Amino acid sequence: MDHLSIQLIAGQVLIGIINGSFYALLALGLAIIFGMLNIVNFMQGALYMLGAFMAYIVGEHLGIGYWGALIVCPILVGLFGIVLERVFFRAIYDIDPVYGLLLTFGLAIIIEGIFRIIFGSAGIPYSIPDSLRGGINLGFVFLPYYRGWVVLVSLVVCLGTWLAIEKTPIGARLRAATENPGAVRTFGINVPLMVTCTYGFGVALAGLAGVMAAPIYSVSPQMGTSILIVTFAVVVIGGLGSIVGAIVAGYGLGIIEGLTKVFFPEASSTVVFVAMAIILLLRPKGLFGRMA
Amino acid sequence: MEQLLENTADGTAAAVDLEVSDLNAWYGESHVLHGMNLTVRKGELVTLMGRNGAGKSTTLNCINGLMRKRKGRIQFRGTDILRMAPERIARMGIATCPEDRAIFSSLTVGENLHLPPLLNERGMSVEEIFDLFPNLRDRLGTASGAKLSGGEQQMLAIARILRTGADFLLLDEPTEGLAPIIIDQIAATLKILGERGYTVLLVEQNFRFAQSVADRHYMVDEGRIVDQFSNDLSDQMKQKIEKYLSL
């Protein structure tokens, strides 16, 4: 293999890791929400889009730059999610989960529609913060600083979330409430409040991904739609509700997608779904799914 | 001790901890409790005995708040708890050990033990709990609660609610499916709890076990109390009780 193709492969793997960083963050949020609320949150893409628009809006109207937006926007999206959970979801917990899917799907369409009316379908540029301009030549590949930053944040957030859920007392409560919420309530633990906070955190992850995506992909009302479909494939491959599965499958599929662009570009947009079909045939519960 | 409950209904002998009156409950459209009435005094161990499906567990789930569709009156230490959320009821000192034991497989044994938050300072220390259940000490590091034997799971389920300081315990068939030696251990534990002043409402189908630990028995059938007697009389009532428990 000559020098050029190694560079080509490394470049695509890098793009794959960056895309994977977004898949992992979004899938992690979906997995946490599904585990706790038993709801397939079809709004995750719309809230990712909302995070990106929030970054643009607080920048335009409040003069809050990228670094401020990185903190403020996920919180705003999380609070928005909490309001939706309190207002809409309470009514549907006791009925078929398919209603949760329909409800969040409908809300997603409404949110995206509102942004399309206000901002139009064309993308709005959002610039990279000055301190993260430029990049570094690693020899085999050129790494823009901003993309390295995205990968770093995504890894830290994913790992931190995993540690919090698997290794802390609060995480133990969360895992227990996922298994048997009623029993956990009889210990005096406010499970409904935990559910609300979990939803808020899960969608805040989407908001965070949105802010980080704003300088890479342009900010547009439909930016959440295409990534959401891939994210669902990621969640299914990782195993519905599995935290580790969402993270591993997120990065893994990003890389597979990147490599496919080198070897068989025509299939790069479908390889994720081929992988999903294969996994579903071999392991219907996904790679890390608990066998029911 | 009092003989029959009817004579002591004024509750002057001991403070009444729990008073359930005219309790009705439904699973969807199915009416399962038809006017339950029962009283538990402080420090008593009272059983609810009856066949499968008689409404014993449902009664416990009305008291701890998990049963949603319920009507009537449930007074706990002078407070009406019928409309309260389960977590609020729990914080008043009512702890549940459910029939399925609710040991969490995604939690280690240690995490299972420490899951319920402490309600006050009066709970047992982990050392005291290990004195009661020595087997648990060695199993503390076990990676999943599901890896414990049935007996160990039952002990863990009782142990974790003793830590919290709750002093009114709802125990749902703690002996079900367990070996006699473990049943004896649970009986010994209940005796110690009695000496320490815990109040226990015990759902049971094992009459010999119930007789060895209880102060008083209620017979439940078709969602209501059909009979009640002091444990002192349980030998004389044996045939009647067996009839209530038979299919």
Side-chain angles (χ1 to χ4, degrees), chain A residues 27-39:
Chain A
L28 178 63
L30 275 182
I32 293 172
I33 291 168
F34 181 78
M36 194 74 176
L37 285 78
N38 219 9
I39 278 181

mmCIF file with all atom_site columns, all heavy atoms in Angstrom, chain A residues 27-39:
data_model
loop_
_atom_site.group_PDB
_atom_site.id
_atom_site.type_symbol
_atom_site.label_atom_id
_atom_site.label_alt_id
_atom_site.label_comp_id
_atom_site.label_asym_id
_atom_site.label_entity_id
_atom_site.label_seq_id
_atom_site.pdbx_PDB_ins_code
_atom_site.Cartn_x
_atom_site.Cartn_y
_atom_site.Cartn_z
_atom_site.occupancy
_atom_site.B_iso_or_equiv
_atom_site.pdbx_formal_charge
_atom_site.auth_seq_id
_atom_site.auth_comp_id
_atom_site.auth_asym_id
_atom_site.auth_atom_id
_atom_site.pdbx_PDB_model_num
ATOM 1  N N   . ALA A 1 27 ? -26.559 8.641  20.727 1.00 0.00 ? 27 ALA A N   1
ATOM 2  C CA  . ALA A 1 27 ? -27.024 7.297  21.064 1.00 0.00 ? 27 ALA A CA  1
ATOM 3  C C   . ALA A 1 27 ? -26.994 7.083  22.575 1.00 0.00 ? 27 ALA A C   1
ATOM 4  O O   . ALA A 1 27 ? -27.868 6.427  23.138 1.00 0.00 ? 27 ALA A O   1
ATOM 5  C CB  . ALA A 1 27 ? -26.152 6.249  20.356 1.00 0.00 ? 27 ALA A CB  1
ATOM 6  N N   . LEU A 1 28 ? -25.988 7.658  23.238 1.00 0.00 ? 28 LEU A N   1
ATOM 7  C CA  . LEU A 1 28 ? -25.907 7.564  24.694 1.00 0.00 ? 28 LEU A CA  1
ATOM 8  C C   . LEU A 1 28 ? -27.156 8.171  25.327 1.00 0.00 ? 28 LEU A C   1
ATOM 9  O O   . LEU A 1 28 ? -27.783 7.576  26.215 1.00 0.00 ? 28 LEU A O   1
ATOM 10 C CB  . LEU A 1 28 ? -24.642 8.285  25.180 1.00 0.00 ? 28 LEU A CB  1
ATOM 11 C CG  . LEU A 1 28 ? -24.396 8.350  26.672 1.00 0.00 ? 28 LEU A CG  1
ATOM 12 C CD1 . LEU A 1 28 ? -24.216 6.955  27.233 1.00 0.00 ? 28 LEU A CD1 1
ATOM 13 C CD2 . LEU A 1 28 ? -23.167 9.204  26.975 1.00 0.00 ? 28 LEU A CD2 1
ATOM 14 N N   . GLY A 1 29 ? -27.542 9.351  24.848 1.00 0.00 ? 29 GLY A N   1
ATOM 15 C CA  . GLY A 1 29 ? -28.754 9.990  25.361 1.00 0.00 ? 29 GLY A CA  1
ATOM 16 C C   . GLY A 1 29 ? -29.975 9.118  25.118 1.00 0.00 ? 29 GLY A C   1
ATOM 17 O O   . GLY A 1 29 ? -30.802 8.917  26.020 1.00 0.00 ? 29 GLY A O   1
ATOM 18 N N   . LEU A 1 30 ? -30.090 8.578  23.913 1.00 0.00 ? 30 LEU A N   1
ATOM 19 C CA  . LEU A 1 30 ? -31.228 7.703  23.594 1.00 0.00 ? 30 LEU A CA  1
ATOM 20 C C   . LEU A 1 30 ? -31.255 6.483  24.503 1.00 0.00 ? 30 LEU A C   1
ATOM 21 O O   . LEU A 1 30 ? -32.306 6.065  24.980 1.00 0.00 ? 30 LEU A O   1
ATOM 22 C CB  . LEU A 1 30 ? -31.123 7.215  22.141 1.00 0.00 ? 30 LEU A CB  1
ATOM 23 C CG  . LEU A 1 30 ? -31.672 8.099  21.042 1.00 0.00 ? 30 LEU A CG  1
ATOM 24 C CD1 . LEU A 1 30 ? -31.504 7.392  19.698 1.00 0.00 ? 30 LEU A CD1 1
ATOM 25 C CD2 . LEU A 1 30 ? -33.147 8.384  21.283 1.00 0.00 ? 30 LEU A CD2 1
ATOM 26 N N   . ALA A 1 31 ? -30.064 5.897  24.739 1.00 0.00 ? 31 ALA A N   1
ATOM 27 C CA  . ALA A 1 31 ? -29.984 4.674  25.545 1.00 0.00 ? 31 ALA A CA  1
ATOM 28 C C   . ALA A 1 31 ? -30.402 4.947  26.983 1.00 0.00 ? 31 ALA A C   1
ATOM 29 O O   . ALA A 1 31 ? -31.141 4.171  27.590 1.00 0.00 ? 31 ALA A O   1
ATOM 30 C CB  . ALA A 1 31 ? -28.563 4.112  25.499 1.00 0.00 ? 31 ALA A CB  1
ATOM 31 N N   . ILE A 1 32 ? -29.935 6.062  27.530 1.00 0.00 ? 32 ILE A N   1
ATOM 32 C CA  . ILE A 1 32 ? -30.285 6.400  28.914 1.00 0.00 ? 32 ILE A CA  1
ATOM 33 C C   . ILE A 1 32 ? -31.794 6.633  29.019 1.00 0.00 ? 32 ILE A C   1
ATOM 34 O O   . ILE A 1 32 ? -32.456 6.146  29.931 1.00 0.00 ? 32 ILE A O   1
ATOM 35 C CB  . ILE A 1 32 ? -29.525 7.667  29.361 1.00 0.00 ? 32 ILE A CB  1
ATOM 36 C CG1 . ILE A 1 32 ? -28.027 7.385  29.443 1.00 0.00 ? 32 ILE A CG1 1
ATOM 37 C CG2 . ILE A 1 32 ? -30.037 8.158  30.702 1.00 0.00 ? 32 ILE A CG2 1
ATOM 38 C CD1 . ILE A 1 32 ? -27.190 8.636  29.679 1.00 0.00 ? 32 ILE A CD1 1
ATOM 39 N N   . ILE A 1 33 ? -32.332 7.362  28.060 1.00 0.00 ? 33 ILE A N   1
ATOM 40 C CA  . ILE A 1 33 ? -33.758 7.674  28.080 1.00 0.00 ? 33 ILE A CA  1
ATOM 41 C C   . ILE A 1 33 ? -34.581 6.406  27.914 1.00 0.00 ? 33 ILE A C   1
ATOM 42 O O   . ILE A 1 33 ? -35.540 6.172  28.650 1.00 0.00 ? 33 ILE A O   1
ATOM 43 C CB  . ILE A 1 33 ? -34.114 8.703  26.983 1.00 0.00 ? 33 ILE A CB  1
ATOM 44 C CG1 . ILE A 1 33 ? -33.511 10.063 27.336 1.00 0.00 ? 33 ILE A CG1 1
ATOM 45 C CG2 . ILE A 1 33 ? -35.620 8.808  26.794 1.00 0.00 ? 33 ILE A CG2 1
ATOM 46 C CD1 . ILE A 1 33 ? -33.545 11.074 26.202 1.00 0.00 ? 33 ILE A CD1 1
ATOM 47 N N   . PHE A 1 34 ? -34.173 5.558  26.982 1.00 0.00 ? 34 PHE A N   1
ATOM 48 C CA  . PHE A 1 34 ? -34.950 4.330  26.784 1.00 0.00 ? 34 PHE A CA  1
ATOM 49 C C   . PHE A 1 34 ? -34.901 3.458  28.032 1.00 0.00 ? 34 PHE A C   1
ATOM 50 O O   . PHE A 1 34 ? -35.908 2.889  28.448 1.00 0.00 ? 34 PHE A O   1
ATOM 51 C CB  . PHE A 1 34 ? -34.441 3.531  25.574 1.00 0.00 ? 34 PHE A CB  1
ATOM 52 C CG  . PHE A 1 34 ? -35.246 2.288  25.345 1.00 0.00 ? 34 PHE A CG  1
ATOM 53 C CD1 . PHE A 1 34 ? -36.488 2.366  24.731 1.00 0.00 ? 34 PHE A CD1 1
ATOM 54 C CD2 . PHE A 1 34 ? -34.804 1.048  25.783 1.00 0.00 ? 34 PHE A CD2 1
ATOM 55 C CE1 . PHE A 1 34 ? -37.266 1.233  24.551 1.00 0.00 ? 34 PHE A CE1 1
ATOM 56 C CE2 . PHE A 1 34 ? -35.578 -0.085 25.605 1.00 0.00 ? 34 PHE A CE2 1
ATOM 57 C CZ  . PHE A 1 34 ? -36.815 0.005  24.979 1.00 0.00 ? 34 PHE A CZ  1
ATOM 58 N N   . GLY A 1 35 ? -33.718 3.353  28.649 1.00 0.00 ? 35 GLY A N   1
ATOM 59 C CA  . GLY A 1 35 ? -33.581 2.513  29.840 1.00 0.00 ? 35 GLY A CA  1
ATOM 60 C C   . GLY A 1 35 ? -34.498 2.961  30.959 1.00 0.00 ? 35 GLY A C   1
ATOM 61 O O   . GLY A 1 35 ? -35.134 2.150  31.624 1.00 0.00 ? 35 GLY A O   1
ATOM 62 N N   . MET A 1 36 ? -34.587 4.246  31.153 1.00 0.00 ? 36 MET A N   1
ATOM 63 C CA  . MET A 1 36 ? -35.316 4.776  32.306 1.00 0.00 ? 36 MET A CA  1
ATOM 64 C C   . MET A 1 36 ? -36.794 5.016  32.005 1.00 0.00 ? 36 MET A C   1
ATOM 65 O O   . MET A 1 36 ? -37.645 4.747  32.830 1.00 0.00 ? 36 MET A O   1
ATOM 66 C CB  . MET A 1 36 ? -34.651 6.085  32.716 1.00 0.00 ? 36 MET A CB  1
ATOM 67 C CG  . MET A 1 36 ? -35.063 6.570  34.064 1.00 0.00 ? 36 MET A CG  1
ATOM 68 S SD  . MET A 1 36 ? -34.313 5.601  35.370 1.00 0.00 ? 36 MET A SD  1
ATOM 69 C CE  . MET A 1 36 ? -34.919 6.519  36.758 1.00 0.00 ? 36 MET A CE  1
ATOM 70 N N   . LEU A 1 37 ? -37.090 5.538  30.824 1.00 0.00 ? 37 LEU A N   1
ATOM 71 C CA  . LEU A 1 37 ? -38.465 5.938  30.528 1.00 0.00 ? 37 LEU A CA  1
ATOM 72 C C   . LEU A 1 37 ? -39.196 4.942  29.640 1.00 0.00 ? 37 LEU A C   1
ATOM 73 O O   . LEU A 1 37 ? -40.399 5.022  29.486 1.00 0.00 ? 37 LEU A O   1
ATOM 74 C CB  . LEU A 1 37 ? -38.498 7.309  29.827 1.00 0.00 ? 37 LEU A CB  1
ATOM 75 C CG  . LEU A 1 37 ? -38.237 8.539  30.665 1.00 0.00 ? 37 LEU A CG  1
ATOM 76 C CD1 . LEU A 1 37 ? -36.752 8.706  30.930 1.00 0.00 ? 37 LEU A CD1 1
ATOM 77 C CD2 . LEU A 1 37 ? -38.790 9.775  30.000 1.00 0.00 ? 37 LEU A CD2 1
ATOM 78 N N   . ASN A 1 38 ? -38.434 3.997  29.079 1.00 0.00 ? 38 ASN A N   1
ATOM 79 C CA  . ASN A 1 38 ? -39.021 3.055  28.142 1.00 0.00 ? 38 ASN A CA  1
ATOM 80 C C   . ASN A 1 38 ? -39.650 3.779  26.960 1.00 0.00 ? 38 ASN A C   1
ATOM 81 O O   . ASN A 1 38 ? -40.662 3.338  26.417 1.00 0.00 ? 38 ASN A O   1
ATOM 82 C CB  . ASN A 1 38 ? -40.061 2.189  28.853 1.00 0.00 ? 38 ASN A CB  1
ATOM 83 C CG  . ASN A 1 38 ? -40.017 0.759  28.368 1.00 0.00 ? 38 ASN A CG  1
ATOM 84 O OD1 . ASN A 1 38 ? -39.103 0.392  27.617 1.00 0.00 ? 38 ASN A OD1 1
ATOM 85 N ND2 . ASN A 1 38 ? -40.978 -0.038 28.761 1.00 0.00 ? 38 ASN A ND2 1
ATOM 86 N N   . ILE A 1 39 ? -39.058 4.902  26.606 1.00 0.00 ? 39 ILE A N   1
ATOM 87 C CA  . ILE A 1 39 ? -39.554 5.677  25.473 1.00 0.00 ? 39 ILE A CA  1
ATOM 88 C C   . ILE A 1 39 ? -38.441 5.787  24.437 1.00 0.00 ? 39 ILE A C   1
ATOM 89 O O   . ILE A 1 39 ? -37.298 6.075  24.777 1.00 0.00 ? 39 ILE A O   1
ATOM 90 C CB  . ILE A 1 39 ? -40.004 7.082  25.927 1.00 0.00 ? 39 ILE A CB  1
ATOM 91 C CG1 . ILE A 1 39 ? -41.416 7.002  26.498 1.00 0.00 ? 39 ILE A CG1 1
ATOM 92 C CG2 . ILE A 1 39 ? -39.912 8.102  24.801 1.00 0.00 ? 39 ILE A CG2 1
ATOM 93 C CD1 . ILE A 1 39 ? -41.972 8.314  26.951 1.00 0.00 ? 39 ILE A CD1 1
#
